[in-house]
Amino acid sequence: MADDVTAPAAASSATSTVARSAGRAKARPADRRPGGGRDERGAARGRAGVWRKRAEIALFVTPALALLVAFVVVPVATAAQMSLYRWKGFGPMVDFVGLRNYVSVLTNEVFTDALVHNLIIVVGSILLQLPLGLAIALLLNRRMWGQGLLRTIIFVPYVLAEVIAGVVWFQLLQPQYGVIDTMLEAVGLQGPDQGFLGTPEYALWTVLVVLTWKYLGLAVILFLAGLQGVPEELYEAAQLDGASWWQVQRRITVPLLGPTMRTWGFLSMIGSLQLFDMVWILTGGGPANATTTMATFLVNEGTKRQNFGIAGAASVVLFVVALILAVAYQQFVLRRDNDDAPRRRARRAPKEVER
Amino acid sequence: MRGATAVALGTTVALLAAACAGQGTANQPDSSEDADASTITWWHNSNTGDGKKYYEEVAADFEAEHEGVTVEISAMDHEDMLTKLDAAFQAGDSPDVFMERGGGELADHVEAGLLKDISEPAADTISTLDAYMPGFQVDGASYALPFSIGVVGFWYNKALFSEAGIEKTPTTMEDLYAAFDKLDKAGIVPVSVGAGDKWPAAHYWYYNVIRECSAETLDAAIADVDYSDPCFVKAGEDLEELIATEPFNKGFLTTPSQSGATSASGLLATGKVAMELAGHWEPGVMQGLTEDGSGLGDDTGWFPYPSIPGQQGTEFAQMGGGDAWAVSQGAPDVAVEFAQYLLSDEVQKGFAELDMGLPTNPTASSAVSDPALAELLEVRDGAPEIQLYLDTLLGTSVGGAMNDEIALLFAGEATPQDVVDAVQSAADAEQ
């Protein structure tokens, strides 16, 4: 359930820039090697060439770097700076409190609960969406009538703006007057008295269901794309060997879909950690703080209560949590893909960019 | 190298995740000395129809009377205005005349040196606004001129009340519970509350505090940062008792206050519930939520929050709040004159005639045309004291903590003592 595709996309393009420039740096000595016996003029020309190259790199990298600094590095640094002060959003920032804001955030039950909610959503959305997405992708990969239409329908929730989807679900889930309660009543059932979103015990699970509905399309589309990369010959060979449909899926499709699933898992995890808009619209973090996330906590503290120091500390904690999980995921899950043979990496790279 | 890439990618993602979090700059407010002493920038939120036109005329009249003075008006949507004001405060570039809500927020602005002390130059106007001034003063100095003050009470549907056989509007808690019973028996949901937004739920607790605690106790508690007086816990217990009668609309814990037909105001406007505790803005909000734009129309009624037997608080004391014109520190002197002009008899009368708010200038009260609002105004003018909304009074930080805890009380997950503790610890953190 990637919350914001642009962020991971930007991230992957950033790494590909890094990879590419690293490749280029390595390529330089390689070109130079045959010119080892050049005369001095040649060497001077080579030096000039190096400088030209550097200027070129600087020219092309500067705009992106400037944007990154202005919109990512500076805000992050400001948040970190803010986290050390008590500041209400106006006037000079002078009330230095050291790490007190961090203590207050980490001992705040609302924040630790929010962190737990985030983790439940990280795990929950992967557990729900992976099997569902895989099953639907396998189904939709078969030649059948209305295939294109079905694919589109599955993908529609993902295309809808978060806010619109949130408002629609909020209305559907209204207790008593909502469509879902009315439908339940029609078949003789009764929803929870205070509604699905109004009952603290159900609210988080309800949000998780809505998130699954919203982001399942992304998983399905990615898996379908991954399925296109599985060579037809393998299926044919398996069929010649007498493998059943199930065996083909288990032994060929799913293992070859591994890299796609792991990448999707990464996107989903980051989206779950950042989760804000859907929760904000559906419950605002309520009832009784049953659905707060780290993002709603820091918005509440920052813009509502104007405790910018606390919000800054919370955002730094969110940053650290996201960093640890992202690096751990890279190290333990995506590493298998990163260590793959270069040929396979090369094949996957363009797919990542497409996304 | 590969590990480095992994870390780089991880960092980038985490950076992006956190970047949305940290915004806002810490610029020093250089108390923008206006080089041009004859231009007044004025921000207000009457950005539609007659109200906007009226304020343009007011500015033009002022310009005509003061040669060489220009008033630059920015009329914007309320939420936009709040955001822009915050940004302007941060940048140290606030408008000359703008809206303040008083209480702790105003005190914070004063502390940050954003507001001009207008006690001296506006003394005459201030003397006519005595009843409303306490919320807009810090250490005896006045910083804003309240121009519209309303009080919170129960807005009710007259038709549903008579359908349930309620002849007299409740004046005590007993009466209120009896009314709940009658409505329940008639199959009508008694009350809607937008507890999803927290503050509408919190208003119940505030009123109980104003009923249970004397004004002196409350003032002393705020001044000494000591909320140990038992009346605060009592207020929460009264609220628990009210919640236990289950008068609220289904799903009230996530009901928003004012947006859409399923909000607390929407439920009242569409006849789904019989009453709602809300401020003077309610008729306007309800009009916006009904298709024909009339809200409850002639069925709109209003009665003040009931009294509690054995209460320590002053009888008929009301809770409310509103807007005031503040002048920023660096504004030219003529801006103070302009703020006073906005409180003058003629400007306030026009303001009242257009139902733009509840005028604070006594001469303008009779000009309010809406009957329900006129009723509310009568109660306001007759009130021995008007207490500012407690969250505004205590400032956003304490107010937010308080409202969150009261919302938990509504959910049955906090005790009356928890609410008091939350207020106490948030207030302690401010010290």
Side-chain angles (χ1 to χ4, degrees), chain A residues 136-158:
Chain A
I136 294 173
L138 288 176
L139 270 176
L140 288 180
N141 203 36
R142 307 183 91 180
R143 293 242 163 71
M144 59 176 165
W145 183 84
Q147 192 188 32
L149 184 70
L150 280 173
R151 284 184 182 183
T152 313
I153 289 173
I154 289 282
F155 199 59
V156 161
Y158 185 70

Side-chain angles (χ1 to χ4, degrees), chain A residues 84-141:
Chain A
L84 301 175
Y85 290 83
R86 201 174 71 192
W87 188 55
K88 287 191 168 172
F90 40 76
M93 210 192 311
V94 287
D95 194 355
F96 186 79
V97 294
L99 296 177
R100 220 194 300 162
N101 287 331
Y102 288 92
V103 174
S104 139
V105 165
L106 293 173
T107 54
N108 187 339
E109 218 172 280
V110 178
F111 183 79
T112 48
D113 282 356
L115 178 58
V116 171
H117 296 153
N118 270 117
L119 295 177
I120 289 177
I121 287 167
V122 167
V123 175
S125 31
I126 289 181
L127 285 185
L128 270 177
Q129 291 173 35
L130 186 64
L132 264 178
L134 197 60
I136 294 173
L138 288 176
L139 270 176
L140 288 180
N141 203 36

Side-chain angles (χ1 to χ4, degrees), chain B residues 195-249:
Chain B
D197 284 342
K198 293 171 183 162
W199 56 263
H203 279 176
Y204 284 89
W205 192 80
Y206 304 168
Y207 250 128
N208 286 351
V209 166
I210 289 161
R211 294 282 178 265
E212 291 289 3
C213 305
S214 68
E216 296 77 44
T217 311
L218 182 59
D219 289 345
I222 295 169
D224 305 340
V225 199
D226 176 10
Y227 297 87
S228 58
D229 195 285
C231 71
F232 292 102
V233 177
K234 186 83 184 15
E237 286 166 359
D238 294 339
L239 180 53
E240 270 187 328
E241 197 182 314
L242 186 140
I243 295 166
T245 66
E246 297 187 355
F248 298 117
N249 60 300

Side-chain angles (χ1 to χ4, degrees), chain A residues 6-8 10-12 14-15 18-19 22 68 71-76 78-79 81-82 86-93 100 170-171 174-177 190 193-195 197-201 266 270 274 282-284 286-289 298 300 303-308 311 315 318-319 322-323 326-327 330-331 334 338-339 345, chain B residues 1-29 86 89-90 104-105 108-109 111-112 114 189 196-198 246 248-256 259-262 267 272-273 395-402 404 407-408 411 413 426 428-431:
Chain A
T6 51
S12 71
T15 33
V18 171
L68 187 79
F71 293 107
V72 177
V73 178
V74 170
V76 168
T78 317
Q81 184 200 7
M82 246 187 243
R86 201 174 71 192
W87 188 55
K88 287 191 168 172
F90 40 76
M93 210 192 311
R100 220 194 300 162
F170 181 78
Q171 298 300 348
Q174 277 298 312
Q176 207 174 349
Y177 310 111
Q190 212 194 351
D193 195 43
Q194 297 297 326
L197 291 172
T199 314
E201 292 81 44
F266 188 67
I270 295 302
Q274 296 177 326
L282 286 178
T283 64
N289 295 328
L298 73 90
N300 193 30
T303 61
K304 291 237 160 147
R305 295 198 197 170
Q306 299 194 308
N307 291 333
F308 285 94
S315 72
L318 169 59
F319 168 79
L323 178 71
V327 170
Q330 291 279 332
Q331 282 299 315
L334 286 181
N338 291 340
D339 285 345
R345 281 185 70 198
Chain B
M1 157 67 208
R2 204 151 276 148
T5 316
V7 173
L9 175 55
T11 315
T12 319
V13 170
L15 273 171
L16 285 166
C20 337
Q23 280 160 358
T25 41
N27 287 341
Q28 315 290 317
D86 277 346
F89 291 146
Q90 286 179 17
E105 198 179 73
D108 287 344
H109 292 163
E111 201 187 325
L114 296 167
V189 179
D197 284 342
K198 293 171 183 162
E246 297 187 355
F248 298 117
N249 60 300
K250 291 264 158 80
F252 62 92
L253 291 177
T254 44
T255 303
S259 51
T262 51
L267 290 172
K272 295 277 198 286
V273 301
T396 45
S397 180
V398 180
M402 173 170 67
D404 282 3
L408 286 180
E413 302 210 352
D428 285 340
E430 290 246 287
Q431 295 309 301

Side-chain angles (χ1 to χ4, degrees), chain B residues 344-367:
Chain B
S344 64
D345 296 358
E346 46 171 315
V347 173
Q348 281 258 297
K349 258 183 208 154
F351 175 80
E353 275 161 16
L354 291 169
D355 284 328
M356 290 166 71
L358 294 170
T360 49
N361 184 324
T363 57
S365 292
S366 56

Side-chain angles (χ1 to χ4, degrees), chain B residues 124-177:
Chain B
D124 291 348
T125 311
I126 291 167
S127 67
T128 65
L129 302 171
D130 265 348
Y132 316 109
M133 282 314 292
F136 301 91
Q137 289 170 329
V138 178
D139 298 332
S142 306
Y143 291 91
L145 302 173
F147 64 90
S148 172
I149 297 285
V151 293
V152 171
F154 280 102
W155 292 92
Y156 71 101
N157 185 329
K158 285 181 176 166
L160 290 183
F161 263 45
S162 63
E163 194 185 316
I166 303 166
E167 279 135 27
K168 217 168 87 353
T169 53
T171 54
T172 65
M173 278 294 162
E174 302 284 296
D175 295 350
L176 186 68
Y177 294 155

Side-chain angles (χ1 to χ4, degrees), chain A residues 15-30:
Chain A
T15 33
S16 57
T17 333
V18 171
R20 233 177 287 137
S21 57
R24 209 159 30 207
K26 235 186 279 164
R28 284 308 299 171

